[in-house]
Amino acid sequence: MQSLGIEVLFQGSNFMRLLGGLLVTIEIAFTSIFIGTALGLLMGLLRTLKSWPLRFILRFYLEAFRIIPILVWLYVAYFIFTPMLRVDIGGELTAVLVFSLWGAAEMGDIVRGALESLPKHQLESGKALGLKAGQIYRYILIPQAVRRMLPGTINLATRMIKTTSLVVLIGVIEVVKVGQQIIELGVIKAPNASIWVYGFIFILFFLVCYPLSRLSRKFERRWQS
Amino acid sequence: MARSAEILLEIKQLVKNYGERNVLDDINLEVRQGEVTVILGPSGCGKSTLLRCLNGLESVQGGTILYRGQNLTDPGTDWREVRQHIGMVFQSYDLFPHLTVIDNILLGPLKVQRREKQEALQQAEQLLERVGLLDRKNSYPRELSGGQKQRIAIVRALCMNPDIMLFDEVTASLDPEMVREVLDVIRGLADQGMTMLIVTHEMGFAKSVGNRIVFIDQGKISEIAAPEQFFTKPQSERAQHFLDIFQYDH
């Protein structure tokens, strides 16, 4: 009798291997989201300043990450930049680097958009009270911008989590790759395994991303009322 | 208000341009302690811009503004220091929406003036009491009506203990039934001897609260007169025309 395929998930250490792969995915994604958000906040603030060379450079940086696919960035970083600089940081760290820089570029744009969407008289009221520029950002503009940044930030985070599946191409074994290995190993005995393995990976990604969406909705509702 | 009171503001030959366009031209005006100056004029005449220049929100291209003898058109002016003495209230409800009423009011006293929280809070509560909004001190701006928000904005400026208050069309975007409560607060300040420059379109209010009327037209002061005189016998044809429009239904 042909096997159903579902048992593949529980054969040997397969289940733990998949979870291990998920851990790699989570590690890369969340480290990058953290670094990217921090850098992006700074970048977004800088992009609201009036210096045109700064604006130009940061805009160029953003467009570079938007126009060139992340896959290409991963290749360039892994096969060209790091060997050229003679630093061997390995695939996982290279992935974190590329993802952080990408996150910073996108986050910078979200922060800039949120800050610029605030009415001009918020800034002027702060000035009229005698607040310093830094204080105006800290007490008035940033707290209001954070509320407007939230949907975009969550969207970016889920995009980053999903895009980590590309890192396999620079040799990092993450959850999707583990799944492929399991499927290939059992391709003769259990030809239907792929449905179950990918189905399981689908559920794993959902479990990681869904709480983020819930969290964002919760905050939005709290700040609305 | 005595004519001999100390001069707080002295504006001499002030010029303001937006690019090619000349917005204020050769403005000369003195403001004495305790004086209530109402600035009138058609839309776009430059009256709001004049107030904004006095608070450093607009750069000027010529002339001088002296505040207690200090030249504010000097590029080295510490505007943050000056703004603690010259308070401003705007047309838009400009409270900070993420802060409660009391936090809105205390932001300046605590972060700019670095005052004791207890002392600043006490003053804030007194001022709120005076405008009848002490019970709203923990509300958020979105829970208040336009008139209430504008009264809070006035309290926020007052809590810095300014010498001069600038009011830039503070009732212009209010529902007519809420105009009164805001004007009453300003009148109360006038009675207490606060020095104020008020830009408004409320003619009845201008007449009763102002010590004098400054009429600006096309960026120039075309008339300075006592209210009774301005409203009954305006000197310039422009002012006459302006009054005709506003007093259409009287």
Side-chain angles (χ1 to χ4, degrees):
Chain A
M1 192 190 105
Q2 204 181 22
S3 107
L4 274 176
I6 188 166
E7 70 280 359
V8 168
L9 288 178
F10 305 102
Q11 263 166 17
S13 59
N14 282 359
F15 190 74
M16 291 317 285
R17 280 176 66 203
L18 280 168
L19 288 186
L22 182 70
L23 198 65
V24 174
T25 298
I26 289 176
E27 255 172 35
I28 295 176
F30 282 81
T31 316
S32 308
I33 290 168
F34 181 77
I35 299 173
T37 307
L39 283 177
L41 273 171
L42 181 70
M43 214 165 278
L45 290 181
L46 292 178
R47 284 190 65 195
T48 61
L49 301 181
K50 285 200 178 69
S51 147
W52 73 263
L54 196 65
R55 275 175 173 239
F56 179 79
I57 293 167
L58 293 175
R59 184 68 204 266
F60 184 81
Y61 170 70
L62 169 68
E63 293 302 335
F65 271 93
R66 283 219 172 130
I67 293 165
I68 302 170
I70 293 303
L71 178 60
V72 176
W73 277 112
L74 286 170
Y75 279 154
V76 167
Y78 190 69
F79 295 112
I80 302 175
F81 281 165
T82 49
M84 223 167 62
L85 297 170
R86 291 170 202 276
V87 282
D88 184 14
I89 55 172
E92 205 173 317
L93 214 52
T94 306
V96 169
L97 184 76
V98 169
F99 277 76
S100 297
L101 291 176
W102 171 40
E106 294 281 4
M107 191 66 198
D109 205 41
I110 293 170
V111 173
R112 178 200 57 81
L115 285 171
E116 285 178 355
S117 75
L118 297 174
K120 193 169 148 246
H121 58 71
Q122 288 288 315
L123 171 72
E124 289 190 338
S125 308
K127 276 191 187 172
L129 285 176
L131 290 162
K132 284 185 227 172
Q135 291 176 318
I136 293 177
Y137 273 101
R138 179 166 160 205
Y139 298 116
I140 301 172
L141 300 182
I142 293 176
Q144 291 184 61
V146 166
R147 291 156 165 73
R148 296 181 187 212
M149 273 155 44
L150 202 72
T153 309
I154 299 291
N155 179 27
L156 175 63
T158 49
R159 262 165 72 210
M160 284 172 76
I161 293 168
K162 288 182 287 184
T163 314
T164 48
S165 48
L166 291 178
V167 299
V168 61
L169 296 160
I170 56 169
V172 181
I173 310 296
E174 46 65 75
V175 65
V176 177
K177 182 65 188 172
V178 174
Q180 279 173 356
Q181 287 172 343
I182 291 171
I183 292 163
E184 280 161 16
L185 205 69
V187 74
I188 297 170
K189 272 192 285 178
N192 292 331
S194 59
I195 297 168
W196 294 102
V197 171
Y198 283 130
F200 184 59
I201 292 173
F202 170 87
I203 292 168
L204 289 180
F205 270 104
F206 180 80
L207 288 178
V208 176
C209 294
Y210 185 65
L212 288 177
S213 309
R214 280 307 295 257
L215 194 69
S216 113
R217 220 174 311 156
K218 204 178 111 187
F219 276 118
E220 273 174 64
R221 222 173 291 148
R222 185 193 299 172
W223 286 335
Q224 226 165 41
S225 55
Chain B
M1 196 274 317
R3 246 355 274 185
S4 60
E6 184 195 356
I7 296 176
L8 286 186
L9 267 183
E10 208 175 345
I11 303 162
K12 290 182 198 162
Q13 294 160 1
L14 190 72
V15 176
K16 163 80 194 167
N17 302 318
Y18 281 124
E20 296 283 286
R21 203 160 62 85
N22 182 226
V23 192
L24 292 175
D25 188 16
D26 193 27
I27 300 286
N28 292 282
L29 190 65
E30 277 175 10
V31 178
R32 286 171 193 271
Q33 175 96 52
E35 196 168 29
V36 179
T37 305
V38 177
I39 304 171
L40 300 178
S43 296
C45 72
K47 53 194 192 302
S48 286
T49 309
L50 175 60
L51 286 198
R52 294 168 60 83
C53 289
L54 301 180
N55 203 321
L57 293 174
E58 301 284 347
S59 60
V60 298
Q61 277 67 48
T64 52
I65 303 168
L66 297 176
Y67 165 68
R68 291 183 187 273
Q70 178 194 355
N71 185 3
L72 303 184
T73 49
D74 187 327
T77 299
D78 181 1
W79 276 107
R80 293 197 304 108
E81 163 66 21
V82 175
R83 284 170 183 146
Q84 295 177 42
H85 306 296
I86 305 180
M88 183 155 183
V89 183
F90 301 86
Q91 173 183 340
S92 46
Y93 320 136
D94 57 352
L95 296 179
F96 307 127
H98 61 297
L99 298 178
T100 59
V101 164
I102 195 74
D103 287 340
N104 261 280
I105 299 170
L106 290 179
L107 190 61
L110 297 185
K111 301 299 174 192
V112 178
Q113 299 179 324
R114 308 237 164 241
R115 282 155 59 185
E116 283 292 315
K117 171 131 196 206
Q118 211 42 50
E119 174 267 330
L121 184 67
Q122 208 181 355
Q123 186 190 5
E125 288 181 345
Q126 270 169 12
L127 289 168
L128 279 175
E129 175 90 74
R130 218 164 77 192
V131 301
L133 290 172
L134 185 55
D135 56 327
R136 306 317 299 268
K137 100 180 164 170
N138 293 316
S139 304
Y140 281 91
R142 62 176 173 266
E143 298 159 355
L144 305 174
S145 72
Q148 289 174 327
K149 280 189 257 196
Q150 206 53 295
R151 281 184 280 161
I152 301 290
I154 295 173
V155 167
R156 185 174 68 182
L158 285 176
C159 207
M160 304 286 286
N161 296 312
D163 289 340
I164 304 174
M165 286 281 282
L166 310 174
F167 291 96
D168 185 10
E169 301 199 39
V170 291
T171 58
S173 43
L174 289 181
D175 226 38
E177 58 192 286
M178 292 172 183
V179 168
R180 176 99 207 179
E181 64 191 49
V182 174
L183 296 185
D184 282 344
V185 171
I186 301 176
R187 179 186 306 280
L189 290 175
D191 293 343
Q192 286 185 345
M194 174 61 81
T195 312
M196 299 188 278
L197 278 103
I198 304 172
V199 167
T200 184
H201 283 296
E202 299 289 332
M203 293 303 140
F205 178 67
K207 197 170 179 175
S208 70
V209 82
N211 295 124
R212 57 176 181 163
I213 305 290
V214 172
F215 180 71
I216 298 186
D217 186 47
Q218 295 180 338
K220 287 184 165 67
I221 293 183
S222 70
E223 198 164 337
I224 299 181
E228 317 80 66
Q229 196 197 341
F230 180 81
F231 285 100
T232 49
K233 290 190 298 264
Q235 300 299 300
S236 60
E237 206 174 304
R238 284 283 194 175
Q240 179 62 59
H241 181 66
F242 174 77
L243 287 176
D244 284 348
I245 292 168
F246 269 93
Q247 295 177 337
Y248 178 77
D249 53 359
H250 288 293

